[in-house]
Amino acid sequence: MENSASAVNTHAATAMARTEIEIIGARQNNLKNISVNIPRDKLTVITGVSGSGKSSLAFDIVYGEAQRRFLESISNFAKSRINQVKKAKVDFVRGLSPVIAIEQKKGNSNPRSTVGTVTDINDYIRLLFATAGVGKCPICSHPLKPVSAAQIAEHASSSLEPGTVIELRAPIFKIYGEEWGYLLDKMRGKGYKYVKIDGESVNLSDKVELDENKDYNIEVIIDTFTISPNIYMQIAKSIEAATVSIDDDISIKVEVTKGDVPENFYKDFECCPEHHFILCELQAFYFSFNIGSNACHTCQGIGRSHVVEPRFLIVAPEKSIMKGGLKSMIFNTASKDSHRGSIMYSLAKHFGFSLDTPINELSKDALDVIFYGSKGEVIEWLQPPFAKKRSWIVGRKWAYGGIVHDIESWYRNFVRKSVAEQSFEPGFVQETMIEKTCPECNGARLKKQRLAVTVGGKNIDELARMQLPDLVEFLNGLTFDVNVADVAKSIINELNARLILLIDIGLHYLSLARRSDTISGGEMQRIKMSTQISSELMGMLYIMDEPSIGLHARDSIRVIQTMKKLRDLGNTVIVVEHDVETMKNSDYMIEIGPGPGVHGGNIIACGTYKDIMNCKESVTGQYLSGEKFIPTPSKRRPGNDKYISIYGAKENNLKNIDVEIPLGTFVCITGVSGSGKSTLINEVLFKELEIMKKGARIVAGAHDHILGVENVTNVINIDQSPIGRGSKSNPATYIGIYDKIRDIYAETEEAVKRGYRALDFSLTHSGGVRCEHCTGDGILVTNLQFMADIETVCPVCKGERFCQEGLEVKYHGKSIADVLNMTTEEALDFFEDVRYLKHKLGIMNDLGLGYITLGQSSTTLSGGEAQRVKLAYELAKIKRGVHNVYILDEPTTGLHLSDIQKLLQCLYRLVDNGHTVIVIEHNLDVIKCADYIIDMGPEGGNGGGYVVASGTPEDIVRCKQSYTGKYLREYIE
């Protein structure tokens, strides 16, 4: 018994004294049964070449095991609602803590997600408006302070004499793009019987005709009361019910219609003295655009909506309207008896243009009338001579709203009939409409009645659009009434704490209204980091994936300081990183390698930055010590004397700038985060080239015009999006070599004998030689309610993905399954005789993708790997006499210095073949190798959007205003 107690005490003492995370026998993915210790309460960097096993160690082993053990401790009820984690292939992991992984993932793709919702700061902003918000009279804008239903009922019942009659009314407003009749029908549907139109009482059961081109002051009568001793509760309940029923407004009008009004009745009531409107008590949820009753009618709280693009309504600009120049859904020349034929003929006669004139020769005014209507001008509808039957509209007179108005009305009708906007996709939306900023709320997402409530003179959308430092300054300058000051100040303190953390981590250029799907992976990672610091937890284990991505050299120190702050709170921070500055500031480093894939998975070196730098076996150390380096080009390419010139770019924060991009060169777009790099290249240049070269159904960022497009054959954006979504998509299918491999196998003697075609060797073709039990996946997935999904090898094909008959077809002794399991490097040797395959596989190998297997599911590739596969695809199809523009946004993501050197060689190959490569980049080793640099800035956000400097790297270094030049100097000199 004593021995047992002694053993327990010894074990407890060991656990208490544990200063390291001990990993024994890690075999996950390509890890070679490694054992390593990671110091606790330190900042540790795990580095190595791409594909060496860094993420396998950090995320699959350390994070996976810590997360799995935590999930095992919770109840089965909770487990059934959380995705379970598979057990990692490792013998032991000791010394783990509760873990949080902050991975390199782009923002939420949900269009309703913003910086404010992701950080939960919006909750505090809404609370501030509910606490200290001030409304305004909908007629004269007199300021109104919120009053509760109980206060209104108490004041009315106690101030007015019995027998006095009062009416409760609420203002209603015309809905954007809808007719007055739709609004009145909506009120009828809610059960209201009477409205006041310009002061006149109207019964909604009667037919009401209103001029669509005229504005009316309409108020719905909610209820009528006769003051009596027991009326208090009835008034209070009626007001509360009205604020729910009439969700368009949060203001009520109290009007005495019979009886005497005390002199100070309205004055003492916090209402508009002239129009008697009262602002109802505010609730925080009133300002949430994710609640239908608050959201803008048109965009449903998304901030963007589908609007008609007139250029999509013209199918043949060289033809006239009568010859079929417009889409048939607008004017079908085969059915000239339709009322649309009468409209077109009447418009032509009234405004003096011909239906037989080619559309591209019609005046701008004529097209404006056809698309956008007569702007209120009344037109008499005529019988066209080409019609055989008389249309029902002939002889009538009214103003024409235009084709655009008609289609948008159809669209809104579909939206109203659908449970959600996403639940339908009518053909005319795909064919004629594009998504733009909502024309009703201008991107504010909320109804105008909600935006009428302000704090410090600004509504909630104006605060959300401020850059974070401006927002902090505004909040700190607010003053409040005595009765709400204490509550409001405590909310301001919470807001300040969260906003300052975001600013300190280098996200000062963001605004709370910024959509999450426009945020880079690095920015989202830093947002999560700021959230963790605000929690001030200690004893945690944080694992991060390249937090330096997307950061200019000037700002990277901010992220490093944030990681140190987490460490100093008493946490363990493990970072997968290639950034030299982060390595210099680490407490401990682990390098995995020496090569990628099958050539990696071993511990090459452990120790401090100096230890790694002095380790001869370390590839990273060789670059850190200067033994290896990326050379600066001896001369810059002059280009082909042709340019693409962007004039008047003013999208987002761009300040109406003009930019010239020399063609036939390697161009780098640089500048601090938020300076406008991606806006200029991705939103303005790429989208406009897509429209002009491919007729893409998109809208380019705001600019005046772009010249020199005729000098470009095509534009290709090589981004980091997945190369495929299905499990059967793989590098071989994307690059295009699998078709050739299937042809080779179909031509073998055994395949010909059995009658197999090339199609039969496809993983997506049923009835061929794939295994039908697992449909070519090689595994079967079993969903378990309380445990992680179990993947088992298919018992029929044993994971080979093909049936036995298909595997019997061999080429040089290898089955097609063997080929798909080959790495690119192995396949290059195997297909040495096949010139086509050797060429494409050689390019993949040159890009550092030699470790990827040909049949590896595309869903398992990282963003950087997917980007390099796309680059390999483009390099493999270079044609003479073609001039393409290739755009890459941060291609160094996930790349070691040795991999960056390979990437640069491939980019050089594109440029040397006459193409233009435009790279948005922060990595100074890439920037120094550019032929031409366009440096944006000088700051991020509102302080950016200018071209600070342009020219060769040497020119940028000489520019004293350029932050890029300041840090680039030591790389060139």
Side-chain angles (χ1 to χ4, degrees):
M1 191 74 176
E2 288 179 6
N3 289 339
S4 176
S6 175
V8 169
N9 289 335
T10 302
H11 179 73
T14 302
M16 289 176 63
R18 187 175 294 281
T19 58
E20 293 179 324
I21 297 170
E22 187 180 2
I23 300 167
I24 300 172
R27 300 175 299 280
Q28 190 76 20
N29 298 331
N30 68 331
L31 296 181
K32 306 288 177 36
N33 198 28
I34 61 173
S35 298
V36 64
N37 290 352
I38 302 173
R40 290 180 55 83
D41 303 333
K42 301 291 184 185
L43 172 57
T44 299
V45 168
I46 300 178
T47 190
V49 298
S50 303
S52 60
K54 304 182 298 298
S55 295
S56 297
L57 178 64
F59 289 97
D60 295 340
I61 300 294
V62 180
Y63 172 72
E65 272 302 283
Q67 185 76 340
R68 184 184 65 81
R69 292 182 194 181
F70 166 74
L71 293 176
E72 280 184 350
S73 68
I74 64 178
S75 67
N76 283 345
F77 176 80
K79 284 180 185 177
S80 66
R81 283 155 177 78
I82 300 173
N83 289 331
Q84 300 298 298
V85 179
K86 289 192 295 184
K87 190 178 189 313
K89 294 177 181 177
V90 61
D91 293 339
F92 301 106
V93 183
R94 300 189 181 98
L96 292 172
S97 300
V99 66
I100 292 174
I102 305 177
E103 296 183 72
Q104 186 67 243
K105 289 184 180 177
K106 277 186 71 69
N108 192 331
S109 59
N110 185 342
R112 295 183 179 277
S113 176
T114 66
V115 172
T117 59
V118 167
T119 57
D120 295 329
I121 292 176
N122 268 18
D123 295 338
Y124 292 93
I125 295 279
R126 293 200 301 267
L127 193 59
L128 177 65
F129 272 76
T131 302
V134 176
K136 61 183 180 182
C137 171
I139 297 175
C140 68
S141 298
H142 179 84
L144 303 174
K145 293 181 180 177
V147 182
S148 68
Q151 287 175 295
I152 297 171
E154 174 64 29
H155 186 71
S157 60
S158 62
S159 302
L160 298 174
E161 294 294 328
T164 304
V165 178
I166 62 170
E167 272 184 2
L168 295 182
R169 305 178 199 156
I172 55 175
F173 304 95
K174 192 174 184 180
I175 297 171
Y176 178 86
E178 301 291 358
E179 298 178 346
W180 285 114
Y182 171 75
L183 183 66
L184 297 180
D185 287 341
K186 194 176 178 184
M187 289 300 105
R188 288 189 193 99
K190 289 179 178 289
Y192 293 106
K193 191 173 182 181
Y194 295 98
V195 295
K196 289 267 186 181
I197 302 178
D198 288 342
E200 295 292 325
S201 184
V202 175
N203 191 327
L204 287 174
S205 61
D206 298 334
K207 186 176 181 180
V208 183
E209 290 192 2
L210 298 175
D211 186 350
E212 296 301 329
N213 298 305
K214 184 180 175 183
D215 288 330
Y216 296 93
N217 178 22
I218 302 181
E219 298 167 4
V220 63
I221 298 174
I222 298 167
D223 216 337
T224 303
F225 302 98
T226 301
I227 299 299
S228 64
N230 300 319
I231 201 70
Y232 165 82
M233 188 61 70
Q234 190 178 345
I235 296 174
K237 286 186 175 180
S238 181
I239 292 170
E240 288 172 354
T243 56
V244 174
S245 177
I246 304 185
D247 52 29
D248 284 357
D249 216 325
I250 44 181
S251 54
I252 297 288
K253 187 174 188 177
V254 180
E255 196 72 63
V256 176
T257 59
K258 182 179 179 182
D260 296 328
V261 183
E263 184 179 349
N264 293 326
F265 176 72
Y266 292 116
K267 187 177 179 181
D268 297 340
F269 206 13
E270 293 287 3
C271 73
C272 172
E274 183 179 354
H275 302 104
H276 309 156
F277 281 103
I278 298 165
L279 180 67
C280 294
E281 188 175 22
L282 299 175
Q283 302 290 337
F285 71 84
Y286 286 170
F287 302 97
S288 171
F289 46 75
N290 288 324
I291 296 175
S293 58
N294 310 316
C296 165
H297 286 288
T298 300
C299 67
Q300 313 296 316
I302 293 175
R304 296 179 70 82
S305 64
H306 285 96
V307 295
V308 174
E309 179 65 23
R311 64 188 168 97
F312 296 157
L313 304 179
I314 302 171
V315 293
E318 72 282 358
K319 293 182 179 180
S320 68
I321 292 173
M322 291 301 295
K323 294 293 184 181
L326 294 176
K327 287 186 75 68
S328 59
M329 62 174 288
I330 298 166
F331 179 54
N332 190 346
T333 55
S335 55
K336 297 171 184 176
D337 292 333
S338 67
H339 79 281
R340 182 73 66 183
S342 297
I343 289 174
M344 287 295 178
Y345 177 76
S346 303
L347 289 174
K349 287 297 182 186
H350 188 91
F351 290 100
F353 62 88
S354 173
L355 298 180
D356 294 315
T357 302
I359 292 175
N360 55 13
E361 295 179 18
L362 286 174
S363 68
K364 183 179 180 299
D365 290 340
L367 291 173
D368 201 48
V369 166
I370 294 170
F371 293 135
Y372 295 104
S374 60
K375 307 291 193 298
E377 188 175 339
V378 175
I379 298 167
E380 181 180 357
W381 304 110
L382 308 173
Q383 175 74 5
F386 50 76
K388 296 177 181 178
K389 296 180 182 178
R390 183 180 174 87
S391 172
W392 63 271
I393 68 169
V394 173
R396 299 174 183 240
K397 294 181 180 181
W398 69 70
Y400 178 55
I403 294 172
V404 168
H405 173 267
D406 290 346
I407 297 176
E408 289 181 353
S409 294
W410 303 341
Y411 169 71
R412 283 189 294 273
N413 189 45
F414 270 101
V415 173
R416 284 199 297 270
K417 290 180 179 179
S418 304
V419 176
E421 190 174 332
Q422 291 79 8
S423 65
F424 75 98
E425 194 59 54
F428 62 80
V429 173
Q430 293 178 324
E431 294 173 5
T432 67
M433 305 183 87
I434 54 175
E435 195 180 59
K436 279 187 176 179
T437 300
C438 174
E440 181 177 4
C441 66
N442 197 29
R445 300 169 177 252
L446 291 165
K447 291 175 180 173
K448 60 184 177 182
Q449 294 86 351
R450 304 297 190 261
L451 298 173
V453 179
T454 60
V455 170
K458 293 188 180 294
N459 63 41
I460 194 166
D461 179 60
E462 290 172 320
L463 263 60
R465 290 176 188 260
M466 286 183 177
Q467 280 193 258
L468 301 185
D470 297 335
L471 180 56
V472 170
E473 184 180 351
F474 174 80
L475 293 173
N476 289 334
L478 291 175
T479 56
F480 303 99
D481 288 346
V482 176
N483 57 333
V484 299
D486 288 344
V487 178
K489 284 178 181 175
S490 66
I491 297 170
I492 295 289
N493 290 338
E494 290 293 331
L495 276 169
N496 276 339
R498 286 160 174 77
L499 292 170
I500 289 169
L501 281 171
L502 288 172
I503 293 167
D504 288 345
I505 207 168
L507 297 173
H508 53 283
Y509 55 90
L510 292 182
S511 66
L512 298 180
R514 175 87 172 263
R515 275 174 55 156
S516 293
D517 55 6
T518 67
I519 287 179
S520 69
E523 287 169 334
M524 182 56 69
Q525 194 172 34
R526 295 197 289 282
I527 287 172
K528 292 177 182 176
M529 286 171 67
S530 72
T531 306
Q532 295 305 322
I533 295 172
S534 66
S535 67
E536 294 192 347
L537 292 170
M538 64 175 294
M540 298 290 291
L541 175 55
Y542 291 101
I543 301 179
M544 303 182 190
D545 186 9
E546 291 201 80
S548 67
I549 287 300
L551 273 182
H552 192 273
R554 186 196 70 169
D555 300 320
S556 62
I557 193 65
R558 294 186 179 188
V559 170
I560 293 168
Q561 288 170 346
T562 301
M563 291 189 290
K564 286 183 174 181
K565 197 177 290 183
L566 283 171
R567 176 201 64 189
D568 295 342
L569 283 170
N571 300 297
T572 304
V573 181
I574 300 174
V575 186
V576 176
E577 188 58 273
H578 298 290
D579 178 58
V580 174
E581 200 62 34
T582 307
M583 294 181 195
K584 286 180 181 177
N585 284 272
S586 66
D587 301 312
Y588 195 75
M589 288 180 62
I590 298 171
E591 181 175 4
I592 300 180
V598 294
H599 304 297
N602 293 304
I603 302 296
I604 301 302
C606 295
T608 64
Y609 175 81
K610 287 185 177 179
D611 294 337
I612 301 296
M613 193 167 62
N614 294 326
C615 178
K616 297 297 182 184
E617 294 77 24
S618 167
V619 178
T620 305
Q622 291 169 16
Y623 278 94
L624 296 179
S625 65
E627 184 179 335
K628 285 186 177 181
F629 59 92
I630 296 173
T632 304
S634 56
K635 61 179 182 178
R636 310 293 178 184
R637 298 175 188 84
N640 57 16
D641 293 328
K642 295 178 181 178
Y643 295 83
I644 285 183
S645 302
I646 305 169
Y647 293 98
K650 39 192 171 285
E651 181 72 7
N652 294 337
N653 68 332
L654 297 180
K655 304 298 194 302
N656 198 29
I657 59 174
D658 301 335
V659 179
E660 278 197 340
I661 300 173
L663 297 178
T665 60
F666 176 29
V667 181
C668 265
I669 313 297
T670 62
V672 298
S673 302
S675 59
K677 304 182 298 297
S678 295
T679 299
L680 176 67
I681 301 303
N682 294 331
E683 295 299 316
V684 178
L685 177 64
F686 172 67
K687 287 188 175 180
E688 186 62 25
L689 289 177
E690 280 276 284
I691 293 168
M692 298 180 78
K693 291 296 178 183
K694 303 176 184 177
R697 308 176 67 80
I698 54 177
V699 178
H703 67 285
D704 294 337
H705 51 270
I706 294 179
L707 299 181
V709 178
E710 69 279 1
N711 299 321
V712 174
T713 307
N714 200 1
V715 60
I716 296 135
N717 190 4
I718 305 176
D719 59 17
Q720 296 192 7
S721 60
I723 60 172
R725 296 181 180 178
S727 60
K728 296 176 180 64
S729 171
N730 54 55
T733 56
Y734 186 87
I735 294 290
I737 60 175
Y738 193 50
D739 291 340
K740 181 65 176 176
I741 292 171
R742 288 192 288 121
D743 289 339
I744 289 172
Y745 274 85
E747 291 167 1
T748 59
E749 185 179 345
E750 188 65 28
V752 171
K753 180 180 174 183
R754 299 186 181 195
Y756 292 151
R757 303 162 298 164
L759 179 64
D760 292 325
F761 291 93
S762 170
L763 290 170
T764 58
H765 174 62
S766 60
V769 298
R770 76 172 186 181
C771 173
E772 293 301 334
H773 187 68
C774 63
T775 65
D777 286 330
I779 57 170
L780 300 174
V781 180
T782 306
N783 297 318
L784 300 177
Q785 189 173 8
F786 306 131
M787 295 183 290
D789 293 348
I790 300 296
E791 291 183 358
T792 53
V793 175
C794 174
V796 176
C797 68
K798 305 296 189 293
E800 297 285 1
R801 295 186 272 193
F802 293 91
C803 65
Q804 187 58 42
E805 290 80 4
L807 294 173
E808 289 171 0
V809 178
K810 300 288 179 72
Y811 173 75
H812 290 347
K814 299 285 186 182
S815 69
I816 195 164
D818 294 331
V819 170
L820 287 179
N821 288 328
M822 287 180 183
T823 64
T824 302
E825 196 174 23
E826 292 168 340
L828 183 59
D829 291 334
F830 183 73
F831 291 109
E832 191 175 8
D833 308 343
V834 185
R835 185 178 174 185
Y836 177 83
L837 294 180
K838 183 180 178 182
H839 171 61
K840 294 203 171 191
L841 290 167
I843 291 171
M844 288 182 69
N845 196 50
D846 292 344
L847 271 168
L849 295 172
Y851 62 94
I852 289 180
T853 58
L854 299 186
Q856 182 175 339
S857 173
S858 61
T859 58
T860 65
L861 297 177
S862 69
E865 288 169 336
Q867 189 174 39
R868 281 182 286 159
V869 170
K870 292 178 185 178
L871 182 56
Y873 173 73
E874 295 300 332
L875 285 165
K877 61 175 189 175
I878 292 176
K879 294 180 181 177
R880 293 182 181 274
V882 173
H883 187 106
N884 294 335
V885 171
Y886 295 94
I887 295 172
L888 296 91
D889 195 343
E890 304 230 37
T892 56
T893 300
L895 295 190
H896 188 269
L897 287 165
S898 62
D899 299 309
I900 292 174
Q901 195 159 1
K902 294 176 183 176
L903 172 72
L904 285 169
Q905 294 303 320
C906 291
L907 296 180
Y908 292 162
R909 193 184 303 179
L910 284 173
V911 180
D912 292 339
N913 276 276
H915 302 290
T916 302
V917 174
I918 302 174
V919 175
I920 301 169
E921 190 54 83
H922 292 292
N923 187 287
L924 294 167
D925 276 308
V926 173
I927 295 171
K928 76 177 184 182
C929 295
D931 301 316
Y932 194 82
I933 294 174
I934 298 170
D935 191 38
M936 304 290 294
E939 299 293 338
N942 294 338
Y946 298 98
V947 175
V948 176
S950 59
T952 64
E954 289 75 17
D955 295 333
I956 303 300
V957 165
R958 287 192 289 269
C959 178
K960 294 181 179 178
Q961 291 76 36
S962 170
Y963 288 116
T964 302
K966 175 184 174 183
Y967 290 93
L968 186 60
R969 187 172 293 113
E970 64 179 275
Y971 278 73
I972 290 182
E973 294 176 353

